[in-house]
Amino acid sequence: FSFNLAADCNAVLKALQPIFQEQGMTETVHNWEDHGYLVTYIKKNGSFANLRIHPHGLVLVDLQSYNDDMKGREEVDQLLNKVEERMKELFHGNIKRVKRLPAILRGGVIDRYWPTADGRLVEYDIDEVVYDEDSPFQNIKILHSKQFGNILILSGDVNLAESDLAYTQAIMGSGKEDYTGKEVLILGGGDGGILYEIVKLKPKMVTMVSNIDQMVIDGCKKHMRKTCGDVLDNLKGECYQVLIEDCIPVLKRYAKEGRMFDYVINDLTAVPISTSPEEDSTWEFLRLILDLSMKVLKQDGKYFTQGNCINLTDALTLYEEQLSRLYCPVEFSKETVCVPSYMELY
């Protein structure tokens, strides 16, 4: 509750006390004089409430309880409704804002809370854990969302959902490229989405170096089929091959052999996974991949990759600075895309 005037802390406390006492809750009051009250209410079943009354005109109520049934949740709502009604009676038209936040469910079997790239907490409508395994390199989760379908999450980072064709289309050039008869190199892309979409466009050959984690491919070919179709069922097809290898030695080998590509698409995970000890940081890894990719890219070729969340302007600027430090001059452009399951612009 936020008010248009200073709060009478004692009046607020007296007004709300009966509501909590009716619940059989034990009260403990902490008074900081000029800094208001902190009041705790504890119930025998372990539920408790914190009432924080700030004299400048802010009252916060935090209620925590263990409820695994609908009746328990209804009791919580009824208690909060009484608090809200009593506050409105007490302050009449002087309440500037009342904000009730949805309950945060801690310790549930299904983890529904995942951060955005810029550090905001998002609650997904996850209703099932489809796949959850630890590989030698990372934790791999595939969770089902009611609106986004299955979502691939690698070590806590939301990678791709079955709803995220916009991501795949953007990292392929947003429909502006002609892949017919072209040589394409995909770095990463273990969910199979890019490979599946490019194979439809009749390329000469697509080589996907899907890093070193076979378990990502195993999980996706079973549980992300709306994204990858059947391209991950076999590591070789009529116009593609999938290599389960560290991309750094592969890139070095291709550069030494003089093998060149029309397109290089970097879809590596946000956290580098490599058996090569050369990179000391994410930025070192990024620079290394960029440099090696340029060495296998034809003069008129194109390199596609994701940048970052549009709110992370500093990180995007740092990335663009890396492009000016490459061993060869490059031109670049960027496009902003809404990726549904990311719940942010990229």
Side-chain angles (χ1 to χ4, degrees), residues 16-276:
L16 296 183
Q17 274 176 328
I19 296 174
F20 294 103
Q21 289 170 352
E22 288 170 5
Q23 301 293 318
M25 304 179 88
T26 303
E27 178 186 80
T28 305
V29 180
H30 304 272
N31 183 359
W32 290 294
E33 298 181 1
D34 294 338
H35 300 287
Y37 290 98
L38 169 64
V39 190
T40 60
Y41 294 96
I42 302 174
K43 204 170 183 177
K44 289 182 179 180
N45 65 0
S47 300
F48 67 93
N50 291 326
L51 172 63
R52 182 69 172 95
I53 309 169
H54 296 270
H56 67 272
L58 180 67
V59 174
L60 306 175
V61 181
D62 177 33
L63 179 62
Q64 295 192 30
S65 62
Y66 178 77
N67 293 309
D68 57 359
D69 55 29
M70 187 61 69
K71 182 182 177 184
R73 290 192 289 272
E74 288 176 354
E75 289 176 355
V76 169
D77 285 337
Q78 290 170 3
L79 175 60
L80 293 176
N81 288 340
K82 289 180 180 179
V83 169
E84 190 170 326
E85 290 168 6
R86 188 67 189 95
M87 290 292 285
K88 288 178 179 178
E89 291 172 1
L90 182 64
F91 286 94
H92 304 293
N94 290 317
I95 297 179
K96 182 166 61 177
R97 184 171 69 247
V98 177
K99 182 72 174 181
R100 189 188 296 190
L101 299 176
I104 293 178
L105 307 177
R106 293 185 171 98
V109 175
I110 298 175
D111 188 355
R112 302 170 63 177
Y113 303 95
W114 300 94
T116 58
D118 61 348
R120 291 173 291 113
L121 186 64
V122 172
E123 180 178 359
Y124 287 83
D125 55 349
I126 303 296
D127 60 1
E128 183 183 359
V129 178
V130 176
Y131 182 87
D132 188 357
E133 297 289 343
D134 288 313
S135 78
F137 311 101
Q138 59 195 331
N139 174 259
I140 306 163
K141 283 184 175 66
I142 298 177
L143 307 179
H144 180 263
S145 156
K146 295 176 184 177
Q147 60 181 324
F148 300 127
N150 286 346
I151 305 175
L152 174 65
I153 300 175
L154 299 178
S155 294
D157 182 53
V158 175
N159 271 238
L160 195 78
E162 291 177 316
S163 64
D164 294 342
L165 183 59
Y167 173 95
T168 304
Q169 291 174 332
I171 206 169
M172 290 170 53
S174 297
K176 301 168 188 173
E177 305 299 320
D178 182 7
Y179 286 93
T180 307
K182 300 296 173 61
E183 291 270 3
V184 183
L185 177 64
I186 302 172
L187 306 176
D191 52 72
I194 298 171
L195 179 61
Y196 180 57
E197 296 301 324
I198 287 186
V199 164
K200 298 177 186 176
L201 304 177
K202 309 300 182 185
K204 180 180 179 181
M205 176 56 68
V206 182
T207 300
M208 184 170 107
V209 188
S210 186
N211 227 299
I212 49 181
D213 201 339
Q214 174 74 47
M215 288 180 66
V216 174
I217 287 181
D218 292 342
C220 289
K221 73 180 180 183
K222 184 175 181 180
H223 302 294
M224 297 283 289
R225 294 190 76 84
K226 289 182 181 177
T227 296
C228 66
D230 60 358
V231 294
L232 298 180
D233 292 352
N234 298 292
L235 297 183
K236 281 191 177 182
E238 185 178 336
C239 63
Y240 72 89
Q241 61 176 338
V242 178
L243 306 179
I244 312 298
E245 297 184 46
D246 185 342
C247 68
I248 292 175
V250 173
L251 284 168
K252 288 182 176 179
R253 184 171 74 243
Y254 286 168
K256 187 176 181 180
E257 295 171 352
R259 185 170 177 187
M260 305 295 281
F261 295 88
D262 298 288
Y263 294 95
V264 176
I265 301 177
N266 179 355
D267 192 35
L268 294 165
T269 56
V271 179
I273 298 175
S274 173
T275 57
S276 302

